[in-house]
Amino acid sequence: MTPARLREARRAMVEGEAGSVDLAACAPALIRSWARRQAAGLSPVGRASGTPHASALQLAQAREQQHELIAHARPAMEFVYEQTRDTDSIVLLSDAQGLLLDTLGDASFANRAERVALRAGANWHEQWRGTNAIGTALAEQRPVVIHGSEHYLERNGFLTCAAAPIIDPAGVLLGAIDISSDHRQFHRHTLGLVRSAARMIEHRLFETRHRDSLRLRIHKYREGIAGLTEGLLALSEDGWLIGANMAGLHLLGLARQDIAGLCIDAVFDTSVEALHERSQAGHGWPFELRRPDGSLLWVQVEAGRGGIDVTPEPAAPDTATALPDETERVVAECKGNLSEAARRLGISRTTLYRRLQR
């Protein structure tokens, strides 16, 4: 739609005359966002009163609380900035409430952007700024582009913005990463760039949170393992899904609510013990696993201090220092915690698994 038609469509929505204009050309997410702001009574013209802006102290406290997010986002922001340098663009990071935590961009555009509060400490939640890429990506919890007159506030119409939400390994919304520039610099590839940046951040968050867990790297193709598009899953010792990145959930057809609610045998025709054995047999290289629907995915198993030891042990007789009934007794005392049981018995988890299987 042309800018003039967009403004007319927004006016009709605000004034309750949506039926008088054709909104079919507008993205559904845009219409939903306009409707939310219309229902809240936000005016698209003038300056909204009471728009919050964090003080230096409040911003410092917010940055301290979001230290992990900022630390992992900064390299991704610098990567994005290298791709958009000298294009009158700015890269922004917000928390889940729309507070801008960090910015990076061309000085000339940054000065112009600050006139509409595109700077650290400003809040770009839809409640205060209407339809905008950061606020709408957070509200919709999906990547969005808001271009020119699609912004709810007319004073932001000179911008074109693309933003993607950042989801942590537990499925919790952490914030959003955004690229904003002059509307004349609009490029369709910008959305793909922020989506890739969000994936980079989610990937690093997963690696940090689950460095001590049993981890599965999954992909449709063997060559996709350890790449930007790989799926990541973290499992508890008894095989429950305790963490995932969005790529992993997408590959398995799962939702964020499924984290902590499914066991490994619900997503693959396997068990924790079978994963251990397959990884040992293949010396840690990727292998194919069948899903309940019959499809196949490539999987690579990794383990941290809290996961299964997948390092093959030298073949040796099982010189057990405990009788089978004592093994079962210790496992029962540990309430099924096999790592703790192996520690008490003075044997490896691998030996304990073999003993229990027998």
Side-chain angles (χ1 to χ4, degrees):
M1 297 178 72
T2 65
R5 288 183 62 198
L6 278 168
R7 287 192 293 270
E8 174 59 19
R10 186 185 60 213
R11 182 204 62 77
M13 175 74 73
V14 172
E15 296 180 5
E17 301 173 2
S20 65
V21 295
D22 181 13
L23 299 177
C26 295
L30 180 64
I31 299 302
R32 288 193 296 269
S33 178
W34 282 355
R36 285 192 294 268
R37 293 308 95 215
Q38 184 271 338
L42 183 66
S43 173
V45 296
R47 293 177 178 269
S49 59
T51 303
H53 194 290
S55 66
L57 176 59
Q58 290 170 330
L59 178 59
Q61 291 173 336
R63 288 176 57 85
E64 178 62 27
Q65 292 172 355
Q66 298 294 336
H67 170 75
E68 182 186 43
L69 171 61
I70 295 171
H72 290 308
R74 189 66 184 190
M77 292 176 69
E78 291 182 358
F79 165 77
V80 170
Y81 176 56
E82 285 301 316
Q83 316 311 309
T84 59
R85 185 190 295 271
D86 301 324
T87 61
D88 286 336
S89 300
I90 188 170
V91 186
L92 305 131
L93 176 71
S94 85
D95 68 9
Q97 288 71 49
L99 176 67
L100 300 190
L101 300 169
D102 201 5
T103 65
L104 180 66
D106 297 330
S108 58
F109 183 74
N111 291 334
R112 187 179 181 192
E114 285 194 356
R115 299 175 191 171
V116 291
L118 271 177
R119 61 180 180 272
N123 193 302
W124 279 74
H125 192 281
E126 273 193 352
Q127 176 183 356
W128 307 109
R129 309 282 174 180
T131 305
N132 70 90
I134 290 174
T136 304
L138 292 173
E140 295 280 328
Q141 298 196 22
R142 57 185 290 270
V144 299
V145 173
I146 302 298
H147 176 61
S149 297
E150 291 178 345
H151 286 84
Y152 190 82
L153 299 185
E154 288 192 1
R155 63 194 302 262
N156 295 330
F158 74 95
L159 296 168
T160 185
C161 311
I166 300 166
I167 311 296
D168 82 353
V172 177
L173 177 67
L174 287 185
I177 185 167
D178 169 275
I179 301 173
S180 292
S181 59
D182 187 283
H183 72 283
R184 292 167 294 188
Q185 302 292 337
F186 173 73
H187 200 296
R188 293 184 182 274
H189 291 170
T190 305
L191 181 61
L193 191 55
V194 294
R195 291 176 66 179
S196 296
R199 281 184 173 180
M200 292 170 64
I201 298 167
E202 291 170 358
H203 202 118
R204 292 303 307 148
L205 286 166
F206 180 95
E207 298 283 8
T208 299
R209 299 267 186 94
H210 292 291
R211 60 180 177 269
D212 295 336
S213 303
L214 174 64
R215 300 179 299 275
L216 305 185
R217 300 181 182 275
I218 64 176
H219 203 277
K220 292 188 296 183
Y221 308 108
R222 182 188 183 112
E223 294 77 13
I225 298 291
L228 183 60
T229 59
E230 72 173 346
L232 297 168
L233 309 177
L235 302 178
S236 66
E237 290 188 2
D238 50 357
W240 287 90
L241 180 64
I242 57 174
N245 68 350
M246 295 304 292
L249 294 178
H250 177 73
L251 282 168
L252 297 175
L254 301 179
R256 285 152 52 187
Q257 305 91 289
D258 293 319
I259 297 174
L262 291 176
C263 201
I264 185 63
D265 58 8
V267 293
F268 287 111
D269 289 336
T270 190
S271 64
V272 172
E273 293 79 11
L275 283 174
H276 163 66
E277 292 172 358
R278 288 287 301 272
S279 185
Q280 276 192 331
H283 302 287
W285 288 98
F287 53 88
E288 282 188 298
L289 272 184
R290 190 171 301 279
R291 301 207 55 231
D293 64 3
S295 62
L296 293 170
L297 287 176
W298 284 92
V299 177
Q300 184 174 29
V301 181
E302 295 180 344
R305 291 191 295 267
I308 294 175
D309 182 3
V310 297
T311 304
E313 292 185 341
D318 183 4
T319 55
T321 59
L323 297 173
D325 57 343
E326 184 180 354
T327 300
E328 294 177 2
R329 178 183 61 77
V330 173
V331 170
E333 289 177 353
C334 294
K335 298 181 180 180
N337 186 328
L338 299 185
S339 292
E340 177 61 18
R343 186 189 67 78
R344 291 191 188 183
L345 290 166
I347 60 177
S348 71
R349 284 190 297 271
T350 303
T351 300
L352 178 59
Y353 281 120
R354 285 202 300 264
R355 190 177 299 173
L356 290 173
Q357 285 173 339
R358 286 200 298 272

